[in-house]
Amino acid sequence: MQPPRRVMIIYNPAAGPREMTREIQAVARRWEGRGWSVVIRITERPGMATELAHEAALEGFDWVVAAGGDGTVNEVANGLVGLPSALGVLPVGTGNVWARQLGLPTYPLVHPLRVQVAAQLLEAARIHFIDVGRANGRYFLLWAGIGLDAQVAQQMEPRDRGTKRLGALAYLIAAALIARDFPAMRATVFIDGRRRIRGRTLVVLVANAQLYGGLVRIAPQALLDDGYLNICVFRGMGLPWALRHFINVFGGRHLQDPAVKFFTGRQVLVETRPVVPVQVDGEPIGHTPMVFEVVPRSLRILVPPTAPASLFRDST
């Protein structure tokens, strides 16, 4: 018998292709039926989820559950790093990459009751400490992108609901159009103080997790609790190179391509000419140069029984 819990659900009504208030309220009633104390807070502006999460942790809530997409999850995580409350997620966004990484149902056509199923899975979750990345003072759970993918994120965000209904297709179309005119980015990448890459580059990804964009395992060796970041550098320039990397990534062959370099490290410095955008978890945060570093085991998360064991070095 589980002890009563104090749970705050932070719901972003702008997330996802449609409004999900009734579904979130149904989850709250379900958990209240278990004797838990549940509070729903609704975000009204960027950054508000971080503030609400931080306040919830200071007020002693056991769980803080992000009901939204990866941007909402990122904001909530930024309010919880280093604090005792555990991060959970109800996938009501568009990409829902973090939820997919943990094995939660995300496709409405396959799982029309996915939010209720996710809530049930969270009830059986264990709490685990994981690493987070940090860039320019902003924490990230999934990845940081420098170059072409950040340019796409900068152009796409914020998206209207019509664009969100297109899901990943909208990003793929935008990436193809932007790659055609993307400037020849000359990147220098230092990992743990050593220069490892210098030259023409399309994208540098600094990954904390395995999935990228919810579709591919960009860093299949990545562990959430090993104290390292995983760095993928995609060399080349222009649309032909972008198509080559796109095909290899979706085929799972990108790490065998000599034009892709893979490293692990604790700190990464990326300098570029010209200056290019940087995004974390799909949200633009600034421009190069920028330092990325791992903050080991600094966040407590709810790990549902559906989460792959391959995500963790320590299964306890």
Side-chain angles (χ1 to χ4, degrees), residues 88-152:
V89 58
L90 293 172
V92 300
T94 305
N96 299 308
V97 180
W98 181 249
R100 294 184 194 186
Q101 184 72 93
L102 296 178
L104 293 172
T106 59
Y107 294 100
L109 295 179
V110 179
H111 296 285
L113 301 177
R114 70 189 188 282
V115 177
Q116 289 77 13
V117 173
Q120 183 178 4
L121 289 169
L122 289 183
E123 293 164 12
R126 60 186 174 87
I127 293 177
H128 193 82
F129 282 94
I130 66 162
D131 311 328
V132 296
R134 181 167 56 203
N136 207 22
R138 178 75 172 264
Y139 298 107
F140 60 93
L141 292 173
L142 293 162
W143 70 86
I146 305 96
L148 176 61
D149 87 317
Q151 187 75 44
V152 174

Side-chain angles (χ1 to χ4, degrees), residues 50-243:
T50 298
E51 298 167 7
L52 291 172
H54 191 75
E55 291 170 5
L58 295 180
E59 292 172 11
F61 280 83
D62 302 297
W63 293 1
V64 182
V65 178
D70 293 306
T72 307
V73 175
N74 176 279
E75 284 199 13
V76 172
N78 270 266
L80 297 180
V81 172
L83 295 173
S85 299
L87 168 71
V89 58
L90 293 172
V92 300
T94 305
N96 299 308
V97 180
W98 181 249
R100 294 184 194 186
Q101 184 72 93
L102 296 178
L104 293 172
T106 59
Y107 294 100
L109 295 179
V110 179
H111 296 285
L113 301 177
R114 70 189 188 282
V115 177
Q116 289 77 13
V117 173
Q120 183 178 4
L121 289 169
L122 289 183
E123 293 164 12
R126 60 186 174 87
I127 293 177
H128 193 82
F129 282 94
I130 66 162
D131 311 328
V132 296
R134 181 167 56 203
N136 207 22
R138 178 75 172 264
Y139 298 107
F140 60 93
L141 292 173
L142 293 162
W143 70 86
I146 305 96
L148 176 61
D149 87 317
Q151 187 75 44
V152 174
Q154 186 178 72
Q155 179 169 311
M156 294 286 291
E157 298 295 339
R159 293 167 292 163
D160 58 33
R161 280 234 150 92
T163 304
K164 288 179 179 180
R165 291 190 181 99
L166 295 175
L169 179 61
Y171 271 96
L172 296 177
I173 294 171
L177 294 174
I178 292 172
R180 183 181 55 192
D181 301 316
F182 190 70
M185 179 177 81
R186 292 187 177 273
T188 305
V189 181
F190 297 86
I191 300 173
D192 294 337
R194 295 178 57 199
R195 191 177 77 190
R196 305 303 297 264
I197 290 290
R198 185 176 186 179
R200 290 179 175 176
T201 305
L202 269 174
V203 179
V204 180
L205 291 177
V206 181
N208 185 50
Q210 297 177 5
L211 286 183
Y212 174 79
L215 301 174
V216 295
R217 296 175 72 221
I218 202 76
Q221 306 96 323
L223 300 173
L224 292 175
D225 58 355
D226 64 348
Y228 287 92
L229 296 170
N230 300 265
I231 303 97
C232 288
V233 182
F234 293 84
R235 308 295 298 271
M237 58 176 287
L239 184 58
W241 279 95
L243 291 174

Side-chain angles (χ1 to χ4, degrees), residues 235-289:
R235 308 295 298 271
M237 58 176 287
L239 184 58
W241 279 95
L243 291 174
R244 167 178 169 168
H245 291 313
F246 174 84
I247 292 169
N248 283 338
V249 164
F250 274 82
R253 300 185 300 272
H254 58 291
L255 297 184
Q256 286 75 53
D257 186 340
V260 177
K261 303 300 180 183
F262 183 84
F263 308 94
T264 60
R266 300 179 187 275
Q267 186 184 77
V268 185
L269 166 62
V270 180
E271 301 173 342
T272 66
R273 289 184 300 160
V275 167
V276 296
V278 177
Q279 59 89 3
V280 297
D281 293 348
E283 302 292 322
I285 64 163
H287 295 78
T288 53

